[in-house]
Amino acid sequence: MILKDGAACLRNLIHLFRPASSSLTSKLGACYFCTSHVASLQQPGKPSVFSSDDEYADLDWDNLGFSIKPADYMYTMKCSKHENFKQGQLSRYANIELSPSAAVLNYGQGVYEGTKAYRTEDGRILLFRPDLNASRMKIGAERMCMPSPSVDQFVDAVKQIALANKRWVPPPGKGTLYIRPLLIGSGPVLGLGPAPEYTFLAYASPVGNYFKEGSAPLNLYIEEEFVRAAPGGAGGVKAISNYAPVLKALIRAKSRGFSDVLYLDSVNRKNVEEVSSCNIFVVKGNVISTPATNGTILEGITRRSVIEIARDYGYQVEERVIPVDELINADQVFCTGTAVVVAPVGSITYQNKRVEFKTGSRSVYQE
């Protein structure tokens, strides 16, 4: 259907979403831009921070991995409670100053997003559907009682970060520039309540494959002791407080040689939800199934894109409850996410039993 490896996946997805005459374009609302458009993104009357050439940063592009390598510039804007965000600005990547009583530090009032910039063979820099990240941040911010940037402000910030840091965008096929927009309650509080001030940040780092296995199939472990999210909680939004609780299960699984953890629902412990860092898909025959986003599962941008493309290619796609027993009997399994792109699953271990799935030639994610 789609991809042979992470880089190819991103290339194919971006290609399909570029403005063109295809029917997918109008349906998916693509966003892309070229480095030649730098001038239109600069703030009037302010000196440009964009480099005048296309030289690359001094990095080993063949061995990027997925760890922080801060690019040159970050973007910041602030607002007070009950106000709207004003125009932000670029500055050199640096530490930020926060009050010890900042709401984000004391009560975890924060949400974040992740998106990527990709360099094409002809030198353009493309973004993958940042408007959807902007919309998802607005939903998450509302859940966490925070103001949020408008969609246009968010997309403009991401564009500025990508262009200001264009020498950190890897060469074609070598990786991507991961962009992290972050919205936090930066104002001081003591009693439990919303912060009086909010800060929106965006910074970037070049990255390669998310998993150490690279493009090799993943080996997942189904967690039965810990859960990722519960009904009525914030599992369906990208709240910063969702992620530290999964570390114990994740570290334990990785110490046993697994790639990541697959979580079950918190009520019955019988239905598949999602992996620590990505959504999951199950393939049986011509049917591709993924757990429905019912408030405990993050609505991934890549997840949504794969669903749309799969349906366009003639697959029957179902968003529904998936019992773990059905997962075990699947033909193929794969994961999706901004960081992981599309990753095949080679095996899943459940109750000390390892089940293997079809990968490689003629798999759905490669067709």
Side-chain angles (χ1 to χ4, degrees):
M1 177 184 72
I2 315 173
L3 326 156
K4 295 187 178 179
D5 56 52
C9 170
L10 188 60
R11 276 198 298 274
N12 290 345
L13 290 177
I14 290 175
H15 175 73
L16 287 170
F17 302 145
R18 281 171 47 192
S21 59
S22 70
S23 61
L24 281 176
T25 301
S26 59
K27 190 165 67 174
L28 301 182
C31 176
Y32 84 110
F33 64 96
C34 305
T35 52
S36 61
H37 295 171
V38 169
S40 65
L41 299 177
Q42 294 177 21
Q43 299 176 32
K46 293 192 176 183
S48 171
V49 299
F50 302 115
S51 58
S52 59
D53 53 45
D54 289 325
E55 66 178 7
Y56 287 106
D58 184 17
L59 286 178
D60 181 359
W61 298 108
D62 293 315
N63 296 286
L64 279 179
F66 202 95
S67 60
I68 185 69
K69 302 173 185 66
D72 295 325
Y73 296 98
M74 58 190 285
Y75 182 96
T76 309
M77 59 180 168
K78 294 179 179 287
C79 80
S80 298
K81 185 169 59 174
H82 306 312
E83 293 185 355
N84 295 323
F85 278 95
K86 302 297 192 297
Q87 179 67 45
Q89 63 182 6
L90 289 163
S91 62
R92 284 284 180 175
Y93 181 91
N95 292 339
I96 62 173
E97 184 175 295
L98 283 175
S99 166
S101 59
V104 66
L105 299 179
N106 290 264
Y107 298 117
Q109 192 185 26
V111 295
Y112 79 91
E113 283 295 325
T115 188
K116 288 179 175 178
Y118 169 79
R119 191 186 298 268
T120 65
E121 295 288 347
D122 60 3
R124 292 175 301 161
I125 296 176
L126 308 184
L127 291 175
F128 182 64
R129 311 187 80 178
D131 55 318
L132 297 186
N133 292 95
S135 297
R136 189 170 66 179
M137 175 170 275
K138 290 181 71 67
I139 294 171
E142 192 278 330
R143 175 65 177 84
M144 305 298 282
C145 297
M146 309 169 71
S148 63
S150 69
V151 171
D152 287 344
Q153 286 176 320
F154 182 103
V155 173
D156 181 64
V158 170
K159 286 183 177 182
Q160 290 200 44
I161 283 295
L163 291 174
N165 295 303
K166 64 182 179 180
R167 73 191 193 97
W168 295 86
V169 181
K174 301 292 185 180
T176 55
L177 183 69
Y178 184 90
I179 299 172
R180 169 61 58 82
L182 178 65
L183 177 63
I184 60 173
S186 51
V189 294
L190 186 59
L192 178 59
E197 179 189 77
Y198 296 88
T199 300
F200 172 85
L201 301 168
Y203 62 91
S205 173
V207 297
N209 287 310
Y210 180 79
F211 292 107
K212 67 178 182 180
E213 293 89 344
S215 58
L218 306 178
N219 300 306
L220 302 181
Y221 175 79
I222 294 182
E223 175 61 48
E224 294 186 89
E225 178 182 0
F226 300 107
V227 297
R228 179 190 168 273
V237 300
K238 210 166 178 62
I240 63 172
S241 51
N242 289 343
Y243 293 88
V246 308
L247 292 178
K248 190 173 184 66
L250 180 59
I251 291 171
R252 184 171 65 181
K254 288 191 173 184
S255 72
R256 298 173 180 173
F258 296 102
S259 309
D260 210 328
V261 175
L262 174 59
Y263 295 91
L264 302 178
D265 72 288
S266 63
V267 177
N268 301 306
R269 307 291 180 94
K270 293 294 183 183
N271 301 315
V272 176
E273 293 239 311
E274 64 179 297
V275 183
S276 302
S277 57
C278 46
N279 297 118
I280 192 163
F281 285 79
V282 176
V283 183
K284 190 72 174 180
N286 195 53
V287 179
I288 301 175
S289 303
T290 189
T293 53
N294 55 7
T296 60
I297 297 172
L298 185 69
E299 296 192 29
I301 308 302
T302 312
R303 172 189 180 276
R304 172 174 169 175
S305 303
V306 167
I307 288 172
E308 292 169 344
I309 294 174
R311 285 175 174 158
D312 191 76
Y313 273 69
Y315 286 89
Q316 179 181 336
V317 181
E318 299 177 348
E319 298 180 74
R320 58 179 175 82
V321 172
I322 302 177
V324 67
D325 292 339
E326 183 178 332
L327 168 71
I328 296 304
N329 292 311
D331 297 331
Q332 303 166 44
V333 178
F334 62 90
C335 296
T336 66
T338 298
V340 307
V341 192
V342 174
V345 175
S347 74
I348 291 178
T349 298
Y350 177 53
Q351 297 182 340
N352 296 319
K353 296 180 181 178
R354 177 184 170 111
V355 179
E356 297 188 350
F357 302 98
K358 178 182 178 182
T359 60
S361 177
R362 299 188 64 80
S363 297
V364 164
Y365 65 89
Q366 285 193 325
E367 291 180 6

